[in-house]
Amino acid sequence: MRLIKQGFERDGSGFVTLFPEELEDMWYAYNLIRPQDLLRASALRRVTTESATGSTSSTRVHTTLTIRVASLDFDPQSSQLHVSGRIAEETKFAKVGQYHTLDLELQRNFTLEKDGEEAWDSVARGIIKEACNPVKSADVWAVVMQEGLANLAVLTGARTVLRQRVEVSIPRKRGGRAGDHDKGLEKFFQTTLDTLLRQIDLNESKPILLASPGFTASSFQKFIIDTATRTGNKALMAQKANLVVVHSSSGHLHSLNEILQTPEVLARLKDTQYAREGKLMDDFMTLLRKDDGRAWYGPNEVEKAVDKGAVGRGGGVLLISNALFRAQDVAIRKRWVRLVDKVRDVEGGEVRTLSSEHESGKRLDGLGGIAAILTFPLDDLDEADEDAEIPHESGDGEQI
């Protein structure tokens, strides 16, 4: 993402003009745009004209429209972002109040304007800073497989995306018919490799995790190297050093969580955002199992810990899901922004916003979307008056 222009007022209102350069930027835009924001972007609109004789004709015209955002629809597989709302500024082709859906596109500017006090809060500005950081964490490819099934996924700094699933029927090994099994396995490996080559850029050097129960992953690694040697594919052979074979309990995507905790993978990914967030969740779960009062989760429990100064300098860590910042209720969003600001700016603690599209973020979502590692133990934070519970929303607007 490239920052083209920005202008912020003292009261927190203002605008930014951004230039999305890659699919990952649409994920950042999805987390940045909120209902009631003003969004200006290129649009393709159908216009109906009537001639002097009364006949009508319909054409599509390229124009620029400004809408007051009502809803967002993000497709995580294709990284397409559709933003719907009512037109806020009249143009030659559209009147104020008419409904339109803007499809944000790569290589085309869009301008986002937020009005109201503290509309551009620290979290929103942090998203822009991260999205426009040219030194983002490198992508990591993973092939999680078992005989006849392979899931090809890409891990970025913000998301885990399943790019393709390969399924090939492989005959079982039976007396005198082992050859059928071997042919089926070779077909499966060839299909998986062809699919992988359509997804990755061989000119880039990025880790490729091959994971499976048993010896399927190591056999696939050998198949890749043998294929590169046989075909003289030097670019594929150059990827040999990037292939990392690890064990998994199954060939399904959920096994990624255990794969990313293995020592050999952690060693390769130690500098990536994914690995750092995964380790923090592991540290939190270890403390939670010890039950020594240094690990708490849940909105009210964590807020109490912060109020007592237990999530500050000296090891305090606030873990919060980015899904909480997509709450449609402004008051609820401000609740979490204030908590983040207090931990980071007042108490001096560390704040980690975990992506709900990563395994670590999904684990955190299962705990209510918020947790904390304390600098000193606290007891009985969960003893609260039920009437004092403050509901909060998930990213889809549901109360938790």
Side-chain angles (χ1 to χ4, degrees):
M1 188 89 80
R2 194 189 313 164
L3 178 61
I4 304 300
K5 190 191 304 183
Q6 67 179 17
F8 298 127
E9 303 297 334
R10 290 184 178 181
D11 63 357
S13 60
F15 75 93
V16 293
T17 299
L18 298 168
F19 182 77
E21 299 176 296
E22 54 189 59
L23 291 176
E24 184 75 1
D25 294 337
M26 294 304 174
W27 167 251
Y28 287 108
Y30 171 59
N31 284 279
L32 192 61
I33 301 169
R34 302 267 36 92
Q36 299 306 311
D37 289 348
L38 285 173
L39 178 65
R40 183 180 299 105
S42 299
L44 187 63
R45 187 164 178 83
R46 183 181 294 278
V47 177
T48 302
T49 56
E50 184 176 349
S51 68
T53 60
S55 61
T56 60
S57 62
S58 180
T59 57
R60 289 183 176 272
V61 296
H62 287 276
T63 184
T64 298
L65 294 178
T66 301
I67 65 170
R68 178 73 67 177
V69 177
S71 63
L72 297 92
D73 179 28
F74 178 72
D75 183 346
Q77 299 302 321
S78 62
S79 293
Q80 292 182 338
L81 178 58
H82 313 288
V83 186
S84 301
R86 296 191 179 277
I87 294 172
E89 294 180 4
E90 187 167 342
T91 70
K92 178 181 177 181
F93 306 108
K95 295 180 179 180
V96 172
Q98 291 181 327
Y99 201 78
H100 189 86
T101 297
L102 291 173
D103 299 324
L104 296 191
E105 301 176 74
L106 296 180
Q107 311 301 320
R108 286 184 181 271
N109 290 356
F110 70 86
T111 298
L112 181 65
E113 183 177 343
K114 295 176 180 285
D115 48 27
E117 187 178 353
E118 297 181 5
W120 284 103
D121 52 46
S122 61
V123 172
R125 297 192 191 203
I127 292 173
I128 295 175
K129 183 178 180 181
E130 182 179 348
C132 297
N133 180 9
V135 191
K136 295 178 186 174
S137 299
D139 294 345
V140 177
W141 283 94
V143 182
V144 188
M145 62 197 314
Q146 60 191 42
E147 286 196 1
L149 172 66
N151 290 284
L152 279 64
V154 60
L155 287 67
T156 70
R159 297 188 295 150
T160 301
V161 182
L162 175 65
R163 297 302 298 267
Q164 197 77 46
R165 175 174 289 135
V166 176
E167 293 185 78
V168 175
S169 178
I170 300 177
R172 293 184 178 181
K173 282 186 177 180
R174 292 177 179 173
R177 301 190 62 181
D180 292 343
H181 173 271
D182 293 342
K183 289 180 181 178
L185 188 60
E186 182 176 353
K187 179 183 177 183
F188 167 59
F189 283 162
Q190 187 63 60
T191 304
T192 303
L193 177 57
D194 291 343
T195 305
L196 180 63
L197 292 179
R198 286 195 296 269
Q199 298 287 338
I200 66 174
D201 183 351
L202 292 179
N203 294 318
E204 295 182 345
S205 180
K206 296 179 179 180
I208 303 174
L209 310 181
L210 308 178
S212 75
F215 300 100
T216 305
S218 57
S219 297
F220 182 52
Q221 180 193 39
K222 183 177 183 300
F223 180 84
I224 294 174
I225 297 171
D226 289 346
T227 300
T229 303
R230 187 183 71 254
T231 60
N233 190 332
K234 294 182 180 179
L236 180 58
M237 181 59 75
Q239 296 290 330
K240 180 179 178 180
N242 293 324
L243 301 175
V244 183
V245 176
V246 291
H247 178 269
S248 66
S249 59
S250 78
H252 296 282
L253 196 60
H254 62 73
S255 296
L256 262 179
N257 188 44
E258 62 179 86
I259 294 166
L260 293 166
Q261 297 177 36
T262 58
E264 56 266 45
V265 173
L266 287 174
R268 294 293 295 269
L269 309 183
K270 61 181 179 181
D271 294 326
T272 66
Q273 177 180 334
Y274 193 115
R276 292 193 296 271
E277 292 179 353
K279 185 178 184 305
L280 279 172
M281 279 304 301
D282 291 340
D283 292 345
F284 172 81
M285 296 305 295
T286 298
L287 288 171
L288 190 63
R289 285 191 290 269
K290 287 183 179 179
D291 195 24
D292 63 356
R294 286 194 56 214
W296 286 93
Y297 64 90
N300 293 323
E301 290 82 354
V302 171
E303 284 180 318
K304 289 178 183 177
V306 172
D307 289 341
K308 293 178 182 292
V311 193
R313 295 177 181 85
V317 182
L318 174 67
L319 302 169
I320 187 165
S321 170
N322 62 3
L324 297 184
F325 298 114
R326 292 198 294 271
Q328 295 187 14
D329 190 320
V330 175
I332 293 174
R333 177 187 168 87
K334 285 186 176 180
R335 173 191 182 185
W336 304 125
V337 172
R338 283 195 298 267
L339 189 67
V340 166
D341 290 345
K342 184 173 183 178
V343 171
R344 183 175 53 211
D345 301 333
V346 179
E347 301 296 335
E350 181 180 359
V351 177
R352 285 285 184 176
T353 303
L354 273 57
S355 170
S356 58
E357 291 291 314
H358 268 332
E359 289 301 316
S360 55
K362 291 175 182 177
R363 293 165 69 189
L364 182 61
D365 285 343
L367 299 174
I370 188 167
I373 297 175
L374 278 53
T375 55
F376 54 84
L378 290 174
D379 297 322
D380 304 327
L381 292 180
D382 52 353
E383 291 185 2
D385 183 357
E386 293 184 359
D387 294 335
E389 291 282 331
I390 305 174
H392 67 282
E393 291 183 358
S394 68
D396 298 325
E398 297 177 352
Q399 286 192 343
I400 299 176

